[in-house]
Amino acid sequence: MANTTQPPNAPAVWAKTQFDGSAMRVALGGRWTLADAAILETAVQTLDTKGAALLHIDLSAVDAIDTCGAWILHRQLRRWQDRGAQIELVGTSDAQAALLERMGVADEERVPLLRKSGSAFAELAIRAGIAATEVAGEAKALIAFVGAATVCALRAIRRPGRVRLVSTVHHIESIGIDAVPILGLLAFLIGVVLAFQGADQLRAYGAEVFTINLLGVSILREIGVLITAIMVAGRTGSAFAAEIGTMKVNQEVDAMRTIGLDPMETLVLPRLLALAITLPLLVFFANTMALVGGAVMVILGLDLSLEQFLEQLSNAVQLNTLAVGLIKAPVFAVLIGVVSCYEGLKVSGSAESVGRHTTQSVVKSIFLVIVFDAAFSIFFSRIGL
Amino acid sequence: MSGQANDSVIRVRGLVTRFGAQTVHDGLDLDVRRGEILAIVGGSGTGKSVLLRTILGLKSPDGGTVELLGANLEALDEEARRPVLKRIGVLFQDGALFSARTVAQNARLPFLEHTKVDHRLVTQLIRVKLSMVGLPQSAGAKLPSELSGGMRKRAGLARAIALDPDILFLDEPTAGLDPIGAANFDSLIRDLQQALALTVVMVTHDVDTLCAIADRVAVLIDSKIIVGTLDEIRAHPHPWIQAYFDGPRGRAARTGLAVSAEPRVSTRVSKGT
Ligand SMILES: Nc1ncnc2c1ncn2[C@@H]1O[C@H](COP(=O)(O)OP(=O)(O)OP(=O)(O)O)[C@@H](O)[C@H]1O
Ligand SMILES: [Mg+2]
């Protein structure tokens, strides 16, 4: 026995070499499996064939061999062959031989299995560049989408029969009715907080009663509609993007197209319509709840009666004030609907993409809602409302 | 786990599966022996995929018991399941690849989860698996969404055989493969099964695969299962079985001929979902 590599604590696998005059006999035994991969690798690599030209590889003592064992053996055989040795396998079963045979196909190509990635810095620069150019492309695509949605909406006006009523009603329920409890609570609490803080500050001037003016104007003009829009963007916009995105991943959108259904008409329009109908109603509801919250706080905290509260409120706000808030609602509705449907339709391929675009839809629609709100403020102040 | 008296690696007793009012399995018994290739056939919607899911512990039975490698997966916690799960590989009907990972990363996952094998060797083994299932190496860096349907199936198989499992579950492995690929696949399964004493449970509609490699055949009919060797099953008088083997495809596969252009009237066996 010229050379033995048999780790003492692992008798499960072994490999031995023995020179018998003309050829080197390599005897292998034990279980050549993934479980002992590390031992196998060293056992095979430390075999010393003394540069023999003819190798007899004897597998008759091998109890089991899996792809891992076969690969490690194959790799070593290839090394010996590259060195010019001639190899003969003895004692292999048909299945073992077939398995070893299959290892050969893995040698041919050496294409990297991982995606190429450059240095971290270059990567960062490239991504920043891509992101920058994407902003412009994104804006263009979004505008194009708005255009397509408008065309679709105009077509629907000409042929109202094509509007998906059932789907629209279903969305109205999930956007509107299902949101009532949470939105009501939210608006009520904001009314309470606003009244509390306002009263606290105005007390210093002895003008606590103007808390009611503060409440009326700020809630009706800004806070009611903003809170509602932000909540709907988070609650409904994300749902739209995820629903449509998942349909995209499952190729449902492709299937629709081949059947002749226009995704714009079947998916986007009912959602936009439902949002445009529901959001103003939700805003009105939120306004009411916030005022109720404020009223509760004011009446309890400032010791006013309900009549006094209402009187002060009617002095402070006109129908205008309410209208200024409500008029923004359909605009915000369209913004949220367009952005979330657009993001949903942009999903491609993976579940990860659904998540990314869902997040994007919420972030973008809230951003746009606030930008448009600012624009409205400027506009209204210019025209003196 | 190894305390089995006999050589059944899977033992199903009195399995009942219901979805609402629909009874899919009604008192079904099944034993899968170590080292055999069992093919499960049956019409669309007879509950083959559900049976696999139940055996794998993904769905709890509405009645009866299921033992996989001597363990009742359903009753075990995550930690106790691991050693069993390490010994099985599953190819789902639609591949079920992780969509956010490349093919190579998909195949690497079982190694990361269950072994401590050296990184370089793992990469080499992944190459081996990819070529074994007939994928070009360039597919390794691709995302599942960038593959064709047949390639996704192969990638799913590469992941399923990553660890050379004791039991391989295949749900319609050859559906969506070209005939040459399907034949290669048959011989791959044969080789693996003989070299590793692998047990294979596969759902298939492919009569060719059935005739080529199945040791035993299980037919799901009328919420029950009929198990036997290919010859026994073929001799069974049930009209569905007769239609299955005597249809143009069944006859062609049996006689080793290519499927002829005969009208396919009596079988609808190769419909995928
Ligand atoms: N989650 C589920 N809810 C309700 N019914 C289900 C569910 N999963 C499956 N079924 C029903 O169980 C039956 C069996 O389904 P299964 O997917 O096992 O069919 P199959 O035999 O694999 O068919 P195929 O050959 O088409 O793949 C079908 O009738 C199906 O409608
Ligand atoms: Mg199925």
Side-chain angles (χ1 to χ4, degrees):
Chain A
M1 208 151 285
N3 176 19
T4 305
T5 35
Q6 186 179 357
N9 54 351
V13 221
W14 49 266
K16 300 173 198 163
T17 53
Q18 190 179 29
F19 196 65
D20 64 359
S22 58
M24 182 67 80
R25 203 176 93 87
V26 183
L28 313 175
R31 298 183 57 81
W32 282 56
T33 56
L34 185 64
D36 294 316
I39 302 169
L40 270 177
E41 280 200 290
T42 34
V44 167
Q45 275 160 11
T46 52
L47 277 177
D48 182 8
T49 59
K50 303 216 165 55
L54 183 58
L55 297 175
H56 284 295
I57 316 287
D58 185 356
L59 275 78
S60 46
V62 171
D63 303 322
I65 184 163
D66 67 2
T67 16
C68 178
W71 169 252
I72 291 173
L73 178 57
H74 171 83
R75 210 172 52 180
Q76 190 60 34
L77 295 184
R78 215 179 52 210
R79 276 187 205 135
W80 284 329
Q81 272 166 342
D82 290 347
R83 217 190 290 147
Q86 207 187 336
I87 293 191
E88 250 171 58
L89 290 176
V90 255
T92 52
S93 69
D94 289 350
Q96 286 172 349
L99 192 62
L100 276 171
E101 183 87 14
R102 284 185 182 276
M103 295 302 121
V105 282
D107 294 339
E108 285 142 26
E109 283 174 280
R110 293 262 137 216
V111 186
L113 284 183
L114 300 174
R115 305 203 152 196
K116 268 254 158 56
S117 61
S119 74
F121 183 74
E123 193 83 330
L124 187 72
I126 291 169
R127 272 205 269 163
I130 291 174
T133 50
E134 260 178 8
V135 171
E138 192 79 335
K140 234 162 69 185
L142 195 57
I143 290 169
F145 184 80
V146 172
T150 312
V151 170
C152 185
L154 291 178
R155 243 194 342 229
I157 290 173
R158 240 187 12 201
R159 289 196 305 182
R162 293 194 67 95
V163 175
R164 321 265 147 171
L165 268 186
V166 176
S167 166
T168 309
V169 171
H170 163 80
H171 287 303
I172 288 178
E173 181 183 344
S174 72
I175 302 165
I177 299 173
D178 296 352
V180 160
I182 181 71
L183 180 65
L185 184 65
L186 210 65
F188 181 86
L189 289 178
I190 283 179
V192 168
V193 170
L194 212 58
F196 183 77
Q197 294 294 339
D200 220 32
Q201 295 298 317
L202 291 172
R203 187 170 294 129
Y205 307 98
E208 288 114 311
V209 79
F210 287 104
T211 308
I212 298 168
N213 298 47
L214 174 80
L215 274 178
V217 174
S218 62
I219 287 173
L220 294 188
R221 280 188 76 118
E222 297 288 343
I223 291 179
V225 65
L226 267 185
I227 280 296
T228 314
I230 288 173
M231 203 207 67
V232 167
R235 198 180 161 278
T236 307
S238 59
F240 284 0
E243 280 164 21
I244 298 179
T246 311
M247 293 179 77
K248 211 50 212 297
V249 172
N250 291 341
Q251 293 193 311
E252 289 172 53
V253 175
D254 294 343
M256 278 184 175
R257 286 219 174 89
T258 59
I259 295 173
L261 296 169
D262 178 9
M264 197 60 104
E265 191 182 290
T266 37
L267 296 179
V268 178
L269 207 56
R271 287 179 165 83
L272 282 181
L273 201 57
L275 261 177
I277 294 172
T278 319
L279 197 65
L281 298 176
L282 281 179
V283 170
F284 188 80
F285 172 70
N287 285 345
T288 315
M289 287 307 287
L291 284 178
V292 169
V296 169
M297 194 65 212
V298 166
I299 290 168
L300 293 181
L302 302 183
D303 237 0
L304 294 177
S305 72
L306 183 59
E307 284 79 37
Q308 286 167 306
F309 177 87
L310 289 177
E311 173 151 1
Q312 183 68 23
L313 187 64
S314 66
N315 289 337
V317 303
Q318 290 93 42
L319 201 56
N320 265 336
T321 325
L322 178 66
V324 163
L326 277 184
I327 216 162
K328 294 191 265 190
V331 178
F332 291 175
V334 171
L335 276 180
I336 294 169
V338 163
V339 169
S340 52
C341 293
Y342 168 76
E343 288 294 334
L345 285 171
K346 257 184 38 182
V347 166
S348 67
S350 64
E352 196 188 6
S353 169
V354 177
R356 199 174 46 240
H357 287 291
T358 305
T359 312
Q360 282 291 313
S361 83
V362 176
V363 172
K364 279 185 191 159
S365 44
I366 291 179
F367 172 77
L368 285 177
V369 160
I370 290 175
V371 167
F372 270 69
D373 191 57
F376 269 119
S377 290
I378 296 170
F379 174 73
F380 286 137
S381 80
R382 278 293 160 87
I383 65 169
L385 269 175
Chain B
M1 210 137 317
S2 50
Q4 299 143 44
N6 61 23
D7 243 9
S8 296
V9 285
I10 298 170
R11 188 200 307 247
V12 179
R13 288 288 174 272
L15 175 67
V16 179
T17 307
R18 282 192 205 94
F19 291 108
Q22 178 193 10
T23 302
V24 181
H25 304 129
D26 187 10
L28 182 151
D29 293 338
L30 177 67
D31 280 282
V32 182
R33 302 174 193 151
R34 188 181 300 279
E36 76 171 343
I37 298 183
L38 178 78
I40 302 176
V41 300
S44 286
T46 46
K48 305 180 293 295
S49 298
V50 172
L51 177 60
L52 280 198
R53 289 176 56 82
T54 311
I55 293 174
L56 290 168
L58 297 173
K59 182 190 177 310
S60 48
D62 297 308
T65 58
V66 175
E67 268 180 31
L68 175 59
L69 289 164
N72 180 359
L73 275 188
E74 232 227 315
L76 297 179
D77 59 25
E78 285 298 316
E79 206 44 45
R81 280 177 182 215
R82 278 174 56 90
V84 181
L85 296 181
K86 185 183 170 182
R87 295 169 64 193
I88 64 173
V90 186
L91 168 64
F92 286 93
Q93 189 162 6
D94 45 13
L97 292 168
F98 301 113
S99 58
R101 295 166 192 264
T102 63
V103 171
Q105 285 170 337
N106 264 282
R108 188 184 294 272
L109 219 55
F111 287 103
L112 294 182
E113 189 58 33
H114 291 298
T115 69
K116 294 193 188 70
V117 180
D118 164 58
H119 185 77
R120 236 191 51 226
L121 182 61
V122 171
T123 306
Q124 291 175 350
L125 286 175
I126 291 171
R127 284 183 192 284
V128 174
K129 306 286 164 167
L130 288 184
S131 55
M132 278 171 97
V133 299
L135 280 177
Q137 300 284 317
S138 57
K142 288 192 174 151
L143 290 170
S145 55
E146 298 164 346
L147 298 180
S148 75
M151 287 167 87
R152 270 202 288 276
K153 192 133 249 181
R154 290 168 192 264
L157 182 65
R159 185 179 68 185
I161 62 170
L163 298 182
D164 289 322
D166 289 359
I167 311 183
L168 196 52
F169 292 91
L170 308 169
D171 198 345
E172 298 191 20
T174 50
L177 296 191
D178 59 283
I180 301 170
N184 278 339
F185 173 84
D186 292 347
S187 72
L188 169 66
I189 295 297
R190 248 297 162 227
D191 287 349
L192 284 177
Q193 187 256 349
Q194 281 171 357
L196 311 173
L198 202 69
T199 310
V200 181
V201 179
M202 69 171 151
V203 173
T204 185
H205 290 307
D206 191 335
V207 197
D208 294 308
T209 302
L210 200 74
C211 297
I213 63 173
D215 294 315
R216 288 196 307 155
V217 180
V219 191
L220 265 170
I221 297 177
D222 308 332
S223 310
K224 293 267 196 294
I225 204 162
I226 302 168
V227 192
T229 63
L230 191 56
D231 292 325
E232 287 165 15
I233 293 293
R234 215 181 262 152
H236 199 280
H238 194 286
W240 190 87
I241 298 181
Q242 286 309 312
Y244 184 88
F245 285 105
D246 275 338
R249 283 154 178 260
R251 275 206 306 273
R254 215 170 44 201
T255 50
L257 296 173
V259 179
S260 68
E262 285 177 70
R264 298 163 193 169
V265 276
S266 46
T267 48
R268 254 183 241 109
V269 288
S270 46
K271 193 198 158 290
T273 26

